Every structure is written in structure tokens, then in C-alpha cells.
Amino acid sequence: MSASSAFSDEKGGSASEPEYGHDPASGGIFSSDYKRHDDLKEMLDSNKDSLKLEAMKRIVAMIARGKNTSDLFPAVVKNVACKNIEVKKLVYVYLVRYAEEQQDLALLSISTFQRGLKDPNQLIRASALRVLSSIRVTIIVPIMMLAIKEAASDMSPYVRKTAAHAIPKLHSLDPEQKDQLIEVIEKLLADKTTLVAGSVVMAFEEVCPDRIDLIHKNYRKLCNLLIDVEEWGQVVIINMLTRYARTQFLNPNVNESLLEDSSEKAFYASDDEEDEDKKTEAAALAKRKPYVMDPDHRLLLRNTKPLLQSRNAAVVMAVAQLYFHLAPKAEVGIIAKALVRLMRSHSEVQYVVLQNVATMTIKRRGMFEPYLKSFYIRSTDPTQIKILKLEVLTNLANETNISTILREFQTYIKSMDKDFVAASIQAIGRCATNIGEVRDTCLNGLVQLLSNRDELVVAESVVVIKKLLQMQPEQHSDIIKHMAKLIDNIQVPMARASILWLIGEYCEHVPKIAPDVLRKMAKTFTNEEDIVKLQIINLAAKLYLTNSKQTKLLTQYVLNLAKYDQNYDIRDRARFIRQLIVPTDKSGALSKYAKKLFLALKPAPVLESPFKDRDHFQLGSLSHLLNAKAGGYQELPDWPESAPDPSVRNVEIPDWSKCTSRKDRKEKKVDKPFYSDSEGESGPTESADSESDSGSGSESASASDESGSGSESEESGEETESEDEEEDEEKEKKRKKHLDKTKAKKPAEESAESEQSSGTEDRKRGRKAVKNQKSASESESESESSESEDESEEESEEESESDTDIRKKKTPVSKQPPKQSKKESKKEKQEMSLLDLDDFEPAPTSAPVTPVNFLSSSLVSDLEGLSLTDTILAPTTIAPSGLIKLYELLHRITGEGLAVEYCFSRQPFSPDPNMVAVQIQFTNNTNSETKNLHIKEPRLQSGMRIREFAEIEVLAAGESVTVVMGIDFCDSTQAANFQLCTHTRKFFASIQPPVGELMTPVFLTENDFKKEQGKLMGMNEISEKLTLGEKCVNEHVIVERVTATANLSRVPCGSDKECRFAGKTVSSGCLVLVTVATKEGGRAQLTVNCEKMVIGTMLVKDIMQALSQ
Amino acid sequence: MIHSLFLISNAGDLFLEKHWKSVISRSVCDYFFEAREKAVEPDNVPPVIRTPHHYLINIYREKIFFKLMFLFSKLGVCFIVDVLYRMCADYFGECSETTIKDNVVIVYELLEEMLDNGFPLATESNILKELIRPPTILRSMVNTITGSSNVGETLPTGQLSTIPWRRAGVKYTNNEAYFDVVEEIDAILDKSGTTVFAEIQGVIDACVKLSGMPDLTLSFMNPRLLDDVSFHPCVRYKRWESERVIAFIPPDGNFQLMSYHISAQNLVAIPVYVKQNISFFETGSSGRLDITVGPKQTMGKTLECLVVTVHMPKVVLSANLSATQGTYNYDPVTKILVWDIGKLNPQKLPNLKGSLSLQSGAPKPEENPSLNIDLKIQQLAISGLKVNRLDVYGEKYKPFKGVKYVTKAGKFQVRT
């Protein structure tokens, strides 16, 4: 370093290369100002890069030290085109710093950057844009605007990112450009690269944070990209999405009791990680309850959760605040752990985290209770941290932990840090007021502190005791007496005032002491502090009213002293009180009430946390930290009363699927079977954001009601269609109400019930379904296309039937959807008119995937439904229901015109959960009615049971009907034999289940799966190698094949080489776990774990067959 | 948005300023100096100071105040605090007033690269090191001779890749991957030696020097032990969730792979016990001090680098003690007594005994000072965490692998 300080001031960091700079520089000190930097100018003008570099380094060092070097501007700017990259960089630094002051000269450099913007190297383009946009010169605004626009559509994401960064710069330079900039932002928001996402959201927040509409289309993409965005981008995005979610979704805690319900219910999802379970559960809840969590809302929560594990404190904090502001109560708890982890960081981070924790603990105390001890205070913590920890501890105190907390507080009181001791005493006071049980203990402890040697401690205790005593003064006259004695020693004004107030207030409890205290105080009145003086006057007044005999003179003396006090407040008070209490001739009516006025019962003070109500600021923001609105703070909006239209977030399929990362899709795959299982038919799947109540609600309701109305219409078969229609609606309403009431636990049963009732559906059903479908979807072509798919599937199955006659009739016979399509054309006219009467909700435009279901009715809607066949999305669309096989029970010929087919509908059979639901379809192909269809004389293996369907009274000619019966196969593939009777004939029939139908899906997480698999090793594990069939090219096909073979659900899996499935047998509930691990060359390994080895072996066989085809 | 940054030394010398937006006069720092004067300890300066137009954020580290000003609060406070922390920790190695003053240009260039318009741009240290090479003695010599510079000749490509933490084309002749499992015990013991609170904070530091793009998988014998974890961004969280293994493409060189937290109290073995007796007499302005340290649950390992630090009350003027092992030092200005014991010999327990002299006339201190203990145990992770194996995928070579365990005392405090 240089020897003289004056020198180093001038030259800043000249240390690095002193040999050149010395002489000219020292000359600079003596020369006049304009000559000051001659040496540097000389160096900059030289031809040698090393000299230029040296000069630039010195200049930058001067800038860093805050020295003014603006006079060098022309000399420096000349070097902007220098070849040496370091010189160039330093010139940029200089330029950005001084361009604002030397606008004209700065313009000289612009052309260099403009050239840079055209450079083939993306990094040079980016850095040129960066510097150009950093030059704060208004004249170049149009150039900047142009450059930003161009860069926004650059090929390189890095350049686009730089463009996003440039937007706020330009905006702050010239707010007039806002509209144009918003256009650019809109364009960049649609960008799909992670590199750009964070930066553009930052620009959005800076320029147009209120244009929430720009986010809609990109919402899901942002959620899905989030995990791959760089850390700082994550923070901005999360904060923005928090605000967004607050405007777009409903408050998940709007119905607290409802949530408690669900948390109780979550016993099988007790593990925090089982997000899926919760999700599905919440979704199930959604169906039945007035509150429905939007799937997009859920998406946000799910995708941000892993970020709690980030190493970056800011990201963790951002996620924590998101959960705090958005998550249902039951889920907020997961953030506690992460926040406690942050507390080990540096004291500044600790300070911020503790501030937020303090706010959170007020609202959700339970969350941090397990971490109570992490908030214990060390003597080496800085004071502000100590006080915050104390705040948190106080907030966490409750009946169960108060004793530990008080013990802890006791050690704090002995601390050397007096501010902290005072805060501890206050904290004890707050605990005492909040928790009645410990009030006496606390009071005793505080009274002991009164004999402390430190005056501050005593004073603080007095103040706190005063507050506590106000709650129950009667019992504590001893303490008051004790405190009265203290007044001789305590000098702290606040404490003295508190004691005096106490004595005055409760002078009736200490009648002997009070006048004596007043006497003492009267003596010292003139030397007291103002607050003490006021309290002396108060005491005097109160004593005068209660005990005027002893204190009349004293009071007058005090009032006289006060009358001549220097403080006008005290003079006024004295005058006022004298008028009030001393009866004179003139004194008005008021003096009669003086006693009431002074000795009215005063409400005890409420000791509140200073952090109360701070949560209206977004947590983690500076405003929250300061508890005041900081500049640029975006208000966190309140939840809306009703959710705005969620369909705005829908994007065209290709977009959506492209940006969905693989793992997300996997997760969804899991949700899906759940839906289709519990909800039976209509599976609003995946992002059936369905805007939930309206969309999917109506969808499923109409579906189930449709089937439900089947039984109804049995009796009212003669009714006209429109009547039916009305009835339908009515039923729907009823059902909805009913649904609201029922607990979310029952959705599965419920839908099964409706399912069962659908068994007695009559022929009108088909038409109705069509109607519903029409009204709901308004897109026939879609439903038709999916139906035709179904049709072709059947055809292949029933190839054996070559009879063309049968063919013709087959459509109505075999399945509902084909029938619909047939009837559709017939009834079209009528339907059209009926359509107008409908007040069904318009179809959800959103549900990107809607499976067409056997029982049909699935109200597939618009274009997005087409994604059913979309290969990208296909994996998510596998619904077991879509792949149901039909089996023949009675051939048309053997049945003398009565054809009976059955299938395993894979719905839970609600009357008896141990039974497999079998759906039977009767078709009357004769010309006359068939009557009294029923089951007779079942001959069953031991243990097997049948629950028959209700007798079908009449089946008209050419019509068909579907019923559901339950059979308990006792987990064996033995056939169930029985007689099928009509009013004229008996037919022998037998139903033999494929092994795959003896199970029902269960939902496991990957961890649970592994755990369970670990239990089912050895004999219970059957493993086979196989070669995959030619068509089993991808995961999707495998999943499809397996789920078609067996009624299992997919288990999420981290690796893409493995597919896992889980289910349990219907009657005994034994777990069935299937793993298909694919290897190179189309080989694969199939593993089945099941306690029932027979089932396992058979299942292996079936799946192998299915996969090797 | 960070507006400006000022670095102020402990002595109040403002030695670096950087503005990302328009220039703010350094006079705003007066608010800070005012607050600094009010607070006795530098630790106690309020982290946020409000001024009419700006908010000052103060971060105190290594005797330097980092001071940020900013106008907008959108990004939250945590944010900014973290940037600077990262900057100190990652880049400079040692970060002190002198090193910054010596390398003022480099620091300035770094700041320029790290933030754009006050928004963090590149904070990954690998990228920064590519942009501006860290100064080493060798390079500075070469630079003086050849006149070349510290600025990277090549433009960084890391920023463009999907794995920004790793630069492309890494090549080593010796491929090696070392992992240090470092655990720190945070504990509060009360007077009688019972544990009031204890937890283990662990980090796994890695030094990975592997060629190409290796994909590593690190697995533990007992991953369930880990209560709460946080990872370097390179770790695939899904794999951890599902299989409890750490799969990652490592950054090149040194980095912190993960940190974890074990809070189950009964699990935490306390390796040391302290018998202490510090008392002050009512009369005669003196006190006694007697501290003995002994091993408790050390799993058969030796305690090393044992240091006991006592923050004495203000009234203690001097200490006249004798130690059976190690040396002690009492600083009458900061009132800190440091007893450096070194290696603990279980046969002969170290003891520190003697008298303290107090300021005459002052009342005897209320509180007995608490003891902070520092120690180190080599070759032991106190939680029992064990690395099972490290697999390398994606590259052909066989690297040298190594794991080292160390246990240290973190915030280990004994109340008296």
C-alpha cells in the first residue's frame, strides 16, 4: 500500500501495480483538477494493452472507493472497442457507472453495442444487450426497445434471459414504454426454457405485477418448470405464484371443521410424504364438500414441496410462506422442519426466519410445538435473536409445555443481558395471562424477582405484576403490600408509577398502607418524574373518594403542588380532578359520580404478541420484517369469495404435454386410477381442473345420477322424456345436497351405490345418457369417436360370432355407448328441443383427459378429450374401466333369444366390500317380452357367496338391461354356478373370474410398496423372466396391458425402467404387488409378491401372456 | 432488488461501494453509523434500518459490515442476505478487509457479474470462477511477467447448459472423489450435566475430481437416521424420496453436497462432561473457578482440540488460574476466558482452578457465566451415520474413493 494516506485516497487501489503510476500520480496531487488524471489518460491512449489495463484497473478501484473519475470519460470511452477482453469489461463497468452523467459522450459507444447485438456468438450478444440496457441514457430508449424486442425472439435462451433482465431496466428509465414491454413480457412468459422463466417473472413483478391475466396460460408450465429453474428465479416465481393463487383459488381453510375431518381421515396417509394420498383424498373431499381444492392449486403445492429441501435459505423461506398462505391447515406443518433447519444459519438469516416463525406461531401454534427446544436461547446469541426466540417460545406455550418453558425462562432471568432479562419477564407475564393454571406460579416467581438486586429487573417485574394483579386483585393484597414497601427503593419511574396505580386502584384491599404511601409520595412529589406525578394525583383522588377522613388534607396538598407544576399536563389533571372530587357549591352533577368514574372496574390488559396480525403481510417480505409497507410491496390479496373461471389456465394440449415433466405425469398416473375407481365412471382425471365444483362436479353427478335414475324410471317407465329429464335434474340437485352432507370418506361407496342402482336401469337410460352427454359436452363427434373405438374393441372380441344378424343387433346388446350412438340419430330432433330446457353446467373445457367409461355416460367434452388417443398423454389415461372385457353367459341361440353377457366392472360392490361386482347385461332378442328374470339355486364352492340382483320384471322385446350382482369368490378362480330363470325357462350359467379380477387396486407410495414388498419375500415372491411382445415398446403399453389383465393400480416409481402395481384381493384383502422391470433387448422381469401363492402364480401366468403378446 | 452495496470495516472505514442502479450518495451510511454507535456489540446492530428512501440491510461477518440498500422489497429479505453470504463463503476463501482491499478490482468485477440490475444473475461459484479466475500466487506471478489477465479468455458455457454447476470437458489424470462427513453437536447442558437440548447438524462436503460427466450415487447404511436434509441443486430429490440414495452429477471440485439434521434427543451422544464450579464472593471482590473436563460417550475415540470458552461477567478484572493441562488466556477487554486443552487424556482429567479478581466495590455478578465447548473427534460420526457405497455411472474409469468422518462441537453450551 502507498505510504501517504492522501495519496492512497487519490489513487485508490494503486497497490497492485505501483511502478508506473507513482510519479505522474504524485504530480497529480499538486496539479489543478483538470490535469489530475493526466497520467491515466496517457496510459489509456497508449497502444499497449497492458498499460490500458493497468489504467482501467486503477480507475475501477477509484470507482469502488467512491472517487469521482468522470473527467476521464472521453479517454475511457475510446477504448470500448478494445480487443483485450478484460479492458473491455472494465470499460463497460466504467461506462455503466458514468453514462448517466455524460450522456452525449456515452452515445459514442452505442454503435459498438449495436454491432455486438448482431454477433454470431450468443454470449457476446447477451453481454452487449446487458451493457446497452444498463446505460441510463434516455435518448437511446428506442434503440433499447428494439434490441430487447429482437433479443426476446433470439434463438439462444441465454440471450432471451438477458432480454428479460433488460426489461425492468428500460422500464425504470422510461415508464412510458410499459405497454410495449408488457408485450415482450407476455411473449417471454410463454417461453419454455427454465433459463428464461425466473428472469421474465422478475420482469413481470417489476413492470406489471397487476397483470395477473398474463400468468393464466403459463401457470401450469411455471409450476412444472419450477424445480429446474435456478434458485433466484425460484424465489421470484414462488412469490409471484403465491399472489396469483390468492386471487385464483378458494381458501382451503374456509371451513376449518371440514379440514379437521380430513386430517382425521388421513390416518393412512399419516406420512407427510404421501402427498398423492392427500391429494386424492382432497380431491375426493372436493367431490362431496362445498370446498374443492382446485387441481391447479394442488399442483402448485405439490411442485413446491421438494424445494423445501433447497440449500438456499431464500427458496426455503419462499416455499414456507407459500405453504403458510396457501396450504390447507393440515399440510402447513411440513414447513416447520425446514424453517428450524434455517435457524442454524447466520444471525441475519436467523433473524429473518425467526420473525416469520413468530408470526406463524400465532396462527398455527401446533406446527412448531415439536421443535420447541430448537428455540432455546444460548447466552451467545445476539440480543435481537434472543428476543425473537423468546417471542416464539411464548407463543408456543400451552398447558402441557408451560412448566418446561417456565423453567427455561428462569435461567434466562439470570442473564447478563439486561434487555433480554426484561423481555423474559414480560414473556413470563404473557404466559401467565394466557395460561390460567400457571398464573399463581408465575406471580410468585415474579414477586421473588422483586427482591432482585438489579433495579431494571425489579422495575420490569413490577410492571408485569401490575398487569397480572389486575386480573384477580382480591387474592393478592399481600403482594400489593409488598410492593408498597418497594416504593422506597425503586427509582425506575415506570415501576413507581405502576405501584402507585396498583395501590390506588386497590386501596380498599390495603386500607392502612395506602394513606401512608400517599404521605410519602406527597413529600417527594416535586422530585418525581411526570408519569409518577400523574399517578400520585390519581392515588390521591382515589383515596379521597374512599377514605376522605384520613387523606383529605394530603390530597389537597398534592393537588396544590400539582397546580404549580411545570408540566401543563399535570396542571390540567390536577384542576380537573379537583373539580371532580372536591364537592363545592358549583360542582355539577358529575362529582356525584366521581367514585364511579375513578373506581370503575377496569378490564385487565390483554398481553398480546407484537406479531399478532402481522401475517397480512406476505411472509418473508421486507414489509413483514418491518411490519410496515415497504416501497414496491405487492399486497397479498385476500382469498376470493368464489373462484374465478379456472379454464383460463387451460392450454392447448401439445403445449401442456410438452412442458409436463415426466415425473409429474407419473404422479398423475397414480391419481388417475384412484379417481376412476372411487368415482366409478366419470374420471375427471389429472388436471381435471374441472374448476372443480362446476366442471367435474356436474360431470360426475350427472353421470351417477343418470345411472341412479335408472331405478326410478323403472316405475315411471311410461313417463315422457321431458318429465324424465326434469326428474333427472331434481335428483341431481338432491344428490348434490346429499353429497355435501356425507363425509368425504364415503365417495367410493356412494358411487358404488349409484352404480348398483344403475343395474335396474331401463331402456330409457340410453337415451338419457345421450342427452346428458349432449348437453354436457356439446360435441358429439368426440363421444362417437371414443365409442367407435370401444366398438371395434368388442368386435375383435366377438369375432366368433359371424352371424350378420347378430351383428346388426349386437350394438344395442353389447354395450351402452354403442347403443347411444345408434339412438342418437333417431332421437336427435327431440333432443335438440330438450337441450334448450337443460340447465346443466356447460362442459368443462378444461379436462384434458376424460376416459370413456363402460357405463358410459362419461361426458367427454371438447377437443381436449381427444387426448385420449394422444400418445404423449396416453400413459395418464389408462383407466381399467376402458379396457373391460365382455364375457358371454348365455348365447342368443341357446338362450332362445335371450342373450346374456357379463363383465367385471371393477367397481367396488358397495353392499359387501368382499364381493366382486359383476355386471350383467340382458338383451331380449325375441319378439315377445321376457318376464321375471332372476337367479335361482346357486351352486357354490364352500365359502363362496352370491348377492343376486333384484328380479327384472319385464324385459320388452328388442330391449336390453344391465344389472349388477356381487359374488364373493373367496379369492379362488372357481366358477360360481347358478340358474338363470325367466318366467318360462331355466338356463344353467356359470361365471368364472380371471384371476386379475379378484383384486382391487390399493394406493401405495413407492416407499410403502418397498416396505410391503420386503415383507413378502421368499415363498411369497414369484419371479419370471419374459420377452416382451413386439407391441410392448414402451412403459405405457406395459401399464395398459397389466392393468387390463388385473385390477391393479400403478405405484409411482422413481426409475423409468420399472413399473409397479399394487392391489389387494377382494375377499381377504391380501396385498398383491407386481413389478415389471424392463431390460435391454425387449426382455423383462416380472415379479409378483402375494401371500396367496396360487393367486400369485396364476397372475404371473396371465400377465406374462398379456405382455408377451 | 439490491440497489447498492457498501462494505464497511469494523473501524467504520467505508472501503468499497458498488451501485447497480443509479448512484446513491454514501451519506446514507450515516444512518448506519448512528445505529452502530448505539449498539454496543457489532452483533447487535439491527439487521434492517429504515431510512426515508431506502432500507439498509446490515450483515456483519468477519469484522466487515456488508451493507445493502434497496428500494424495493419484492424479493424478500432472506434473499439478499443469502447472496452475500454465498459470495463470502464460496469465492474468497478468506474474506477480510485486507483481502478485499488487495483485490478490489476482482471483487468489483465479481459483483458486476453476480448481479444485474440488482437481481442475482450468476451465483454459482463454478461459473464465476470461469468468468473471473480466482487469484493464486502462481497466476499473479505469471500475470506480472506476461501481462495476461485474470479475466477468463473463454466465455463461460456453464450458464448455457442444463447442469449449470458443472463445466464441460473436465479432465483429470487421477480421478478421485472424497467425501467428508462432518457432524456438529449443538447442545445445551444444564448445571447438573443433563441435556436440555441436543441435536446433530451434519454436512457432507465433497471434493470430486472426475473426468467427463460422471453420474454418482451415494448410499448410506442407515439413511433413516436423517431427519431433515437439504441438498445441493445437483441432487435428484425424487431418487432420495423414493430410494433414499443420493444421485447426482457432481460439480467439479469442492462443494457441499448436502446438509442434514438429526434431532432425536436420545440419539445424541454427548462426548464430554464438564464439572464446573464458578462462584463469586459477596465480600473481598473475588471469585473462585474450578473446571474439570472429562470424556463421556466418545465411542472409544480420542477427543481433540478441546477448548473451553467462558464469557465472564463485566466485573471480572483478571484471573489467576492454574491448568493441569493446556494453556489458558483471559482477555480483560472482551472478558473472555479461553482454556485451550488440546487432546483429552482420559487417565488424567484436565483441570483449571484458581481465583478471579473482581472490580472492587461492584456488586457480585448475578449470573454464573456459561461455558462454550469446542472439540473434535476424528474418524467418528457421532450420529452413527455410515456411507455404504459410491457408484459411478456414465464413465468408464475407476475413481479413488474415500470417506472421512469428523465430529465437532457446534453450539455446545454448558449452563452454570
Side-chain angles (χ1 to χ4, degrees), chain A residues 65 86 130 232 344 348, chain B residues 26 61 79 112 149 184:
Chain A
R65 297 209 44 115
E86 186 165 15
R130 194 175 149 197
W232 306 113
R344 227 187 96 87
E348 292 83 11
Chain B
R26 55 165 70 189
R61 208 145 293 165
F79 201 168
E112 180 77 25
S149 71
E184 294 193 358

Side-chain angles (χ1 to χ4, degrees), chain B residues 190-202:
Chain B
D190 73 1
K191 210 170 192 164
S192 57
T194 32
T195 312
V196 176
F197 160 76
E199 62 181 18
I200 296 171
Q201 301 280 353

